[in-house]
């Protein structure tokens, strides 16, 4: 497949957009059925783990944008939904070079971390235009998105530590040691700690606890389970320990946080 560069002259031959809330399914699979189009996906209020044909994984979180080239094969599992409004905005498109040959921007799935609010606006603007009309407008907006991704968004590949990041994100209740996480990535503990801190600016234990507290907040906001059940579900030793850490992070006890959120 011809790999194009954003600086080159290329054409968009087709653009189709879709907002999906994933109410009836939490996964998508195209292994054995390679994608026929390029896809840009914006994540709003959820996370996705991509498992590629070779078994390697890539994870994207709310606020990230993901590019999947035509010809790619993967399984996408969606999780960590913030609420019932969580959704993705997808833009399918075909690229050709100046000679009319089909192309891709990259040969692999690419995650653009922490996309700007402006980028979110662009994705949603494309999605509000009917697919049967305004092709030139859609085309212009997609070019603007691509330009924004290349110029303004830091591309961050977690590469070697991705297996550990996936495990922590999907199962924050597991109290895995640094040794276990480093083993998942096939590296020494010292090297793993170094890469992890470079990526997240904190130790693995602090990152895990941040994930647990964020998930606890979602349970309190939209769930009905008790504080004790949240504590047990997320792997805290005692409810009092959970309450103490939650209050330090959010400034309120879990009960007061739930009440304040629902009153607002």
């Amino acid at each position: 497949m011809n790999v194009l560069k954003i600086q080159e002259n290329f054409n968009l031959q087709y653009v189709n957009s879709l907002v999906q809330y994933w109410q009836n399914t939490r996964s998508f699979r195209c292994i054995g059925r390679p994608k026929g189009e390029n896809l840009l996906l914006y994540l709003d209020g959820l996370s996705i783990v991509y498992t590629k044909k070779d078994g390697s994984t890539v994870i994207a979180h709310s606020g990230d944008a993901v590019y999947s080239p035509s010809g790619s094969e993967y399984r996408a599992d969606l999780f960590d939904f913030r609420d019932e409004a969580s959704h993705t905005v997808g833009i399918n498109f075909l690229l050709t070079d100046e000679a009319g040959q089909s192309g891709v921007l990259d040969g692999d799935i690419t995650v653009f971390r922490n996309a700007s609010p402006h980028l979110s606006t662009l994705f949603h603007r494309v999605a509000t235009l009917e697919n049967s009309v305004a092709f030139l407008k859609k085309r212009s907006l997609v070019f603007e998105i691509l330009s924004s991704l290349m110029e303004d968004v830091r591309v961050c590949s977690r590469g070697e530590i991705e297996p550990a990041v996936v495990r922590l994100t999907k199962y924050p209740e597991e109290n895995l040691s640094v040794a276990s996480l480093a083993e998942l990535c096939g590296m020494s503990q010292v090297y793993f700690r170094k890469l992890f801190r470079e990526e997240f600016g904190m130790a693995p234990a602090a990152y895990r606890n941040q994930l647990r507290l964020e998930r606890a907040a979602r349970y309190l906001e939209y769930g009905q389970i008790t504080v004790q059940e949240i504590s047990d579900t997320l792997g805290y030793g005692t409810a009092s320990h959970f309450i103490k850490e939650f209050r330090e992070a959010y400034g309120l006890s879990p009960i007061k946080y739930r009440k304040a959120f629902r009153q607002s």
Side-chain angles (χ1 to χ4, degrees):
M1 181 66 70
N2 186 20
V3 178
L4 306 173
K5 298 185 182 299
I6 195 68
Q7 295 85 359
E8 295 178 355
N9 290 322
F10 56 79
N11 296 309
L12 287 170
Q13 299 295 340
Y14 166 83
V15 177
N16 182 60
S17 56
L18 178 67
V19 177
Q20 288 183 278
Y21 290 89
W22 303 95
Q23 295 173 336
N24 299 319
T25 181
R26 295 293 173 92
S27 66
F28 170 80
R29 179 186 177 93
C30 61
I31 295 176
R33 296 177 289 109
K35 290 185 61 62
E37 303 161 352
N38 295 278
L39 171 66
L40 283 169
L41 195 71
Y42 180 79
L43 282 59
D44 192 335
L46 54 87
S47 298
I48 301 179
V49 173
Y50 291 88
T51 303
K52 294 182 283 188
K53 189 177 181 180
D54 63 4
S56 61
T57 57
V58 176
I59 191 168
H61 298 288
S62 179
D64 292 346
V66 184
Y67 169 70
S68 303
S70 61
S72 58
E73 300 181 54
Y74 56 84
R75 175 187 172 92
D77 293 294
L78 294 82
F79 67 100
D80 205 17
F81 282 68
R82 181 178 59 206
D83 54 48
E84 64 276 4
S86 300
H87 62 278
T88 59
V89 182
I91 303 173
N92 289 291
F93 58 100
L94 293 175
L95 287 173
T96 58
D97 61 16
E98 292 180 296
Q101 298 297 311
S102 297
V104 297
L105 296 175
D106 194 295
D108 202 356
I109 296 172
T110 304
V111 178
F112 299 86
R113 308 290 183 191
N114 302 316
S116 66
H118 174 63
L119 195 68
S120 170
T121 300
L122 292 175
F123 269 89
H124 286 88
R125 283 177 63 191
V126 173
T128 60
L129 296 172
E130 293 184 17
N131 289 317
S132 59
V133 299
F135 172 73
L136 290 179
K137 182 62 175 177
K138 280 180 175 283
R139 183 175 180 271
S140 174
L141 289 170
V142 173
F143 274 122
E144 191 173 349
I145 288 172
L146 293 173
S147 177
S148 179
L149 286 173
M150 296 303 124
E151 295 175 5
D152 301 329
V153 181
R154 180 174 66 93
V155 182
C156 175
S157 173
R158 289 167 182 162
E160 295 173 276
I161 64 171
E162 190 72 20
V165 176
V166 170
R167 187 62 174 264
L168 285 168
T169 306
K170 292 189 73 172
Y171 307 106
E173 71 279 2
E174 292 183 342
N175 190 18
L176 292 177
S177 65
V178 171
S180 298
L181 294 170
E183 186 177 355
L184 282 174
C185 303
M187 64 182 65
S188 70
Q189 295 182 50
V190 172
Y191 188 51
F192 174 76
R193 287 182 189 274
K194 175 180 180 295
L195 292 182
F196 199 95
R197 186 168 290 279
E198 287 177 354
E199 175 61 33
F200 293 100
M202 65 181 76
Y207 179 72
R208 170 185 176 250
N209 199 46
Q210 177 178 293
L211 291 173
R212 289 199 298 176
L213 290 170
E214 288 174 355
R215 192 161 297 182
R218 302 294 86 76
Y219 283 140
L220 291 165
E221 291 166 1
Y222 301 102
Q224 302 300 322
I225 62 176
T226 67
V227 169
Q228 181 65 60
E229 289 170 332
I230 293 173
S231 175
D232 293 341
T233 298
L234 294 177
Y236 286 93
T238 63
S240 60
H241 179 212
F242 163 58
I243 293 169
K244 177 177 180 292
E245 293 206 357
F246 191 89
R247 183 184 287 113
E248 289 176 353
Y250 288 90
L252 294 170
S253 70
I255 293 296
K256 289 183 177 179
Y257 179 89
R258 171 178 273 167
K259 183 177 180 181
F261 179 83
R262 296 187 178 183
Q263 285 179 340
S264 65

